[in-house]
């Protein structure tokens, strides 16, 4: 049996608290350290917020599918939507020295995850693959 | 998220608690911009009860800071829990916002 959990939430910001709670639980269940789990929680929240804002342009009637997969060497979080394709060239955070509202979410995602990539094989919508490798103890 | 606005020694204080995210930050923005519209000279935000903040919450405060600076106002924070302080530090915003350990340090600054 594959060690994975899939949750589906509506694309409404009110469900982000549910995503955060699920992410913390999955992080703990899959053996991530507490401080890392907190960073993963923020990152997954930011990734789902980006889906609502950019892929669905604020449409709250769509779905976000989040898969948590226990890997031998870490945790994978795969986030899928059926919205507008992400423009990979435009995905970059703002320069942290350029203080202005916005542009931080992507930094929060890349801060914790070792792998951040979009599955280019997905024809419609987006599949964001995030992997955090476990610290070798 | 819960927001209370009160007065302390003649200064406006926002007592913020709970989780500040994409869902709750529009309410924070509304309260903040309302105070800025009234050109409050010093606004102090009590972060002690804040358990979580995401980029939308931070963006709201950056917008608030810019608004206050436009008329010479000051936006001050105190009581940031460690995890939230780390987020501000990572974002290099600890150099931009006035951050204090407690309310007296903020008031006496």
């Amino acid at each position: 049996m594959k060690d994975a959990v899939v949750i589906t939430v509506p694309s409404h910001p009110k469900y982000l608290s549910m995503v955060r709670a699920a992410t913390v639980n999955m992080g703990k269940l899959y053996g991530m350290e507490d401080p890392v789990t907190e960073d993963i929680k923020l990152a997954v929240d930011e990734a789902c917020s980006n889906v609502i804002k950019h892929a669905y342009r604020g449409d709250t009637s769509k779905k976000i599918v989040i898969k948590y997969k226990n890997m031998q060497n870490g945790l994978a979080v795969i986030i899928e939507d059926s919205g507008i394709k992400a423009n990979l060239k435009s995905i970059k955070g703002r320069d942290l020295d350029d203080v202005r509202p916005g542009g931080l979410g992507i930094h929060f995602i890349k801060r914790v995850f070792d792998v951040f990539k979009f599955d280019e094989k997905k024809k419609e919508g987006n599949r964001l693959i995030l992997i955090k490798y476990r610290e070798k103890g | 998220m819960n927001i209370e606005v009160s007065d302390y020694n003649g200064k406006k204080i926002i007592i913020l608690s709970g989780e500040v995210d994409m869902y709750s930050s529009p309410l924070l923005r509304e309260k903040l911009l309302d105070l800025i519209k009234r050109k409050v000279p010093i606004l102090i935000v009590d972060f002690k009860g804040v358990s979580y903040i995401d980029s939308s919450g931070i963006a709201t405060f950056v917008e608030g800071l810019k608004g206050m600076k436009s008329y010479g106002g000051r936006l001050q924070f105190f009581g940031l829990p460690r995890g939230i302080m780390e987020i501000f530090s990572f974002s290099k915003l600890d150099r931009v916002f006035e951050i204090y350990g407690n309310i007296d340090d903020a008031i006496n600054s």
Side-chain angles (χ1 to χ4, degrees):
Chain A
M1 191 182 76
K2 283 181 184 171
D3 197 1
V5 167
V6 180
I7 64 166
T8 302
V9 293
S11 59
H12 192 295
K14 70 183 175 186
Y15 294 103
L16 289 172
S17 60
M18 217 201 86
V19 171
R20 292 196 295 273
T23 303
V24 168
N25 283 328
M26 294 315 301
K28 285 181 179 171
L29 206 59
Y30 290 165
M32 306 308 286
E33 301 284 336
D34 282 352
V36 175
T37 298
E38 284 301 305
D39 291 344
I40 290 174
K41 174 179 83 172
L42 175 61
V44 173
D45 176 301
E46 295 288 353
C48 291
S49 296
N50 282 343
V51 168
I52 298 169
K53 270 187 284 190
H54 302 299
Y56 290 141
R57 300 254 167 101
D59 184 344
T60 57
S61 68
K62 305 290 185 184
K63 283 181 184 170
I64 305 172
V65 179
I66 305 155
K67 183 176 187 179
Y68 302 90
K69 195 174 167 188
N70 193 17
M71 301 161 63
Q72 209 169 24
N73 55 351
L75 165 70
V77 184
I78 298 150
I79 300 170
E80 288 192 36
D81 64 68
S82 57
I84 300 160
K85 276 257 177 235
N87 179 354
L88 302 187
K89 284 179 190 160
S90 71
I91 297 177
K92 57 173 187 178
R94 68 164 161 82
D95 181 342
L96 290 175
D97 290 311
D98 172 23
V99 178
R100 58 180 167 80
L104 286 176
I106 204 80
H107 287 294
F108 293 157
I109 300 170
K110 289 184 173 175
R111 179 176 72 136
V112 61
F113 280 106
D114 300 301
V115 174
F116 170 98
K117 66 176 179 185
F118 282 92
D119 183 352
E120 292 180 24
K121 284 181 284 182
K122 186 165 167 62
K123 288 203 171 73
E124 286 178 12
N126 300 287
R127 181 183 293 124
L128 176 63
I129 299 165
L130 303 169
I131 299 172
K132 174 66 184 171
Y133 296 117
R134 261 183 221 99
E135 305 277 327
K136 283 176 187 157
Chain B
M1 183 192 74
N2 192 47
I3 305 175
E4 276 178 55
V5 180
S6 65
D7 291 290
Y8 185 88
N9 288 353
K11 288 173 181 157
K12 285 280 176 208
I13 303 203
I14 291 182
I15 302 162
L16 195 60
S17 59
E19 298 187 316
V20 186
D21 67 359
M22 189 190 181
Y23 182 51
S24 56
S25 60
L27 178 62
L28 171 64
R29 184 174 183 270
E30 190 187 310
K31 298 261 185 193
L32 203 57
L33 295 188
D34 179 54
L35 291 163
I36 292 167
K37 206 162 67 185
R38 289 191 263 146
K39 293 196 166 43
V40 171
I42 296 177
L43 182 58
I44 304 172
V45 184
D46 178 352
F47 268 82
K48 286 200 302 290
V50 178
S51 53
Y52 178 79
I53 191 164
D54 73 354
S55 65
S56 70
I58 292 174
T60 302
F61 282 118
V62 171
E63 186 184 359
L65 179 68
K66 294 212 164 194
M68 291 195 77
K69 279 193 167 173
S70 70
Y71 61 86
R74 290 173 70 188
L75 180 60
Q76 303 178 317
F77 298 162
F78 78 92
L80 276 75
R82 200 175 70 182
I84 289 173
M85 188 66 210
E86 278 172 14
I87 291 170
F88 275 90
S89 302
F90 169 78
S91 314
K92 297 186 178 177
L93 291 171
D94 53 338
R95 310 172 193 174
V96 176
F97 287 105
E98 289 185 50
I99 300 176
Y100 300 94
N102 57 58
I103 190 164
D104 291 325
D105 288 349
I107 281 178
N108 296 326
S109 66

